[in-house]
Each structure stands twice: as structure tokens, then as C-alpha cells.
Amino acid sequence: MKFTTKLIQYEDYDDILVGWWKDWGWQAPTRDFLPQDGMGGIMVWDGDTPVCAGFLYNTNSKVAWVDWIISNKQYKESRKEALTILVDSLTSLAKGIDNKFAYALIKHDGLINVYEGVGYVKGDSYNKEMIKAL
């Protein structure tokens, strides 16, 4: 399988990502919750088929947040390989902009295994995710 990675484009949010979140039964985050108004991430493609995407938040410290990983639910062939390429690419991007740490907040066991496969280690377990709209 030959995958390619591309930066997320403005139209990808409405044309692809919102549908993926819906397919998985999740509420899509609003554009302004995502980095760079929904364009601050990478999408992995298998030819003309989008497979998965994720985002990179750059902070005012040496920590980047790699998260909001989502995939095409219909694509099953090599999803884990594509997710590994995605997380590795986002992590490399974080390092390339001079971060010293990459952080992720995830619950899904399969995705945890992908992160561990590219060198992430488990931190503390958390009980609740807390968000407040301002």
C-alpha cells in the first residue's frame, strides 16, 4: 500500500471530516475549536481515497498536542498502517517546529496502540474531559 500525506485543506472539513465524525457517531468539533480553523493538520490518502486525518496544536511551550484523529469508517484495508503514518507525520511536524514533547489525550485502545507503536508512552489515566465554551 502506498499512502501519501497532505496538509488538510479548508474544504476538507465540510467535504470529508464532518461526515467521518458523523459516521463514527461523534459530534464534529467546530472549525474554530481545531487548529488553524480546521486546516492545522494532515490527511493520509490511499490514491484518491482519503483514509484518516489528525491535527496538531502548537502551544506557547515546547509541547505540541497531537489529536482529533479521525478515519474513514468505510476504509478497512490498511487503516492501522495509515493511522501509524498519520501519527508519525504529525509527531515529526511537531518536532520540526522545535517542540520537545508531543501530547495526546485518547481513549480508544486501538489508537492507543498506534501511538505506542510510534514511541508514545502512557501518562496518567484521566477520568473526565472538561471543556467550557467561552
Side-chain angles (χ1 to χ4, degrees), residues 7 14 19-20 30 32 40 47 65 82 86-87 90 105 124 129:
L7 295 176
D14 289 317
W20 285 355
T30 61
D32 56 1
W65 181 20
L86 174 64
V87 172
L90 289 165
L105 185 63
D124 256 343
E129 179 179 318

Side-chain angles (χ1 to χ4, degrees), residues 21-120:
W21 277 303
K22 183 179 178 184
D23 289 346
W24 286 103
W26 301 334
Q27 177 68 41
T30 61
R31 275 186 188 277
D32 56 1
F33 193 87
L34 297 169
Q36 298 174 3
D37 203 31
M39 295 183 294
I42 294 173
M43 189 175 297
V44 177
W45 294 74
D46 179 357
D48 293 331
T49 303
V51 178
C52 56
F55 294 86
L56 179 70
Y57 291 84
N58 200 27
T59 70
N60 63 355
S61 65
K62 294 293 181 182
V63 178
W65 181 20
V66 177
D67 217 330
W68 286 106
I69 306 298
I70 188 68
S71 67
N72 179 343
K73 192 172 185 179
Q74 309 313 313
Y75 185 94
K76 297 180 173 130
E77 188 173 333
S78 299
R79 183 184 298 140
K80 185 175 180 181
E81 182 183 352
L83 288 167
T84 299
I85 290 167
L86 174 64
V87 172
D88 195 44
S89 296
L90 289 165
T91 305
S92 293
L93 183 60
K95 185 176 182 180
I97 54 177
D98 205 28
N99 286 290
K100 293 185 179 181
F101 305 96
Y103 172 80
L105 185 63
I106 45 182
K107 299 175 189 175
H108 187 272
D109 287 336
L111 197 51
I112 290 169
N113 291 336
V114 168
Y115 276 80
E116 287 178 328
V118 296
Y120 284 68

